[in-house]
Amino acid sequence: MLSTPLADDVLDNADLVLPIPLSPQRLAFRGFNQSWELAQHLSPVKADAQWLLRTRDTPSQRLLPRHERLANLVGAFAVEPLRAAQLRGKRVVLVDDVMTSGASLHSAARVLRQAGAAHISALVLARTESLASE
C-alpha cells in the first residue's frame, strides 16, 4: 500500500489514519479488523480505531449493487461523540482492505465530513471488479 502513488504524501499530511470499523458481531466472528491491522502498519502514530464507529451490523454487501450498498449503510457509521468536536479541520485517511463500489468509504467519509473533517482520503489494499448491475 505504501508503494501506491502519493500514499506517502497522503499519510504524511494526515492528522488521523482511521480504519473502516466492523460491527461488534463481525469483529467477534473474525477475531480481528483487517482494516485496523493495515492502518497500524501504515501509520502507527496516527492510526486510531476509536474515532469512527460502526453503529449497527449490516447484511453482507458482497452481492449488492452500489445503490443497495449505499442504502444498506445509511446510519451504519458515526463519529465517536466525545471526539467529534476535535475532528474539525483535520485531514483524515480512511483505510479499508477491499473496495468494490466504494459505498463503505463513501458512507464513512460522509459522517467524517459532517463532523467537520477538512480533507478525507482513502487507501485500500485491493479493488474488486464492480458488479455488472452497478
Side-chain angles (χ1 to χ4, degrees):
M1 291 175 80
L2 289 173
S3 66
T4 302
L6 303 177
D8 282 335
D9 291 339
V10 168
L11 291 166
D12 287 345
N13 291 323
D15 297 303
L16 298 166
V17 176
L18 308 180
I20 294 293
L22 295 177
S23 68
Q25 297 88 336
R26 189 141 317 139
L27 182 58
F29 177 76
R30 281 196 185 146
F32 68 99
N33 179 341
Q34 60 280 11
S35 296
W36 170 235
E37 297 296 325
L38 293 168
Q40 289 179 91
H41 282 79
L42 289 168
S43 185
V45 174
K46 297 177 183 180
D48 193 322
Q50 304 304 312
W51 285 80
L52 187 61
L53 308 173
R54 187 75 173 230
T55 58
R56 64 181 177 85
D57 193 29
T58 55
S60 174
Q61 302 265 97
R62 210 165 44 103
L63 299 176
L64 300 177
R66 187 170 198 275
H67 71 279
E68 289 181 32
R69 289 171 183 243
L70 288 167
N72 192 28
L73 291 169
V74 170
F77 297 107
V79 172
E80 205 290 324
L82 297 177
R83 293 183 173 192
Q86 299 168 39
L87 195 57
R88 186 155 311 283
K90 298 285 191 222
R91 299 177 66 82
V92 177
V93 175
L94 286 171
V95 177
D96 205 357
D97 61 333
V98 178
M99 183 178 96
T100 300
S101 69
S104 295
L105 291 167
H106 176 80
S107 297
R110 180 182 302 149
V111 301
L112 292 168
R113 177 72 71 203
Q114 289 170 345
H119 187 270
I120 303 162
S121 300
L123 289 173
V124 297
L125 178 65
R127 174 81 161 103
T128 64
E129 290 186 33
S130 295
L131 298 173
S133 60
E134 290 190 81

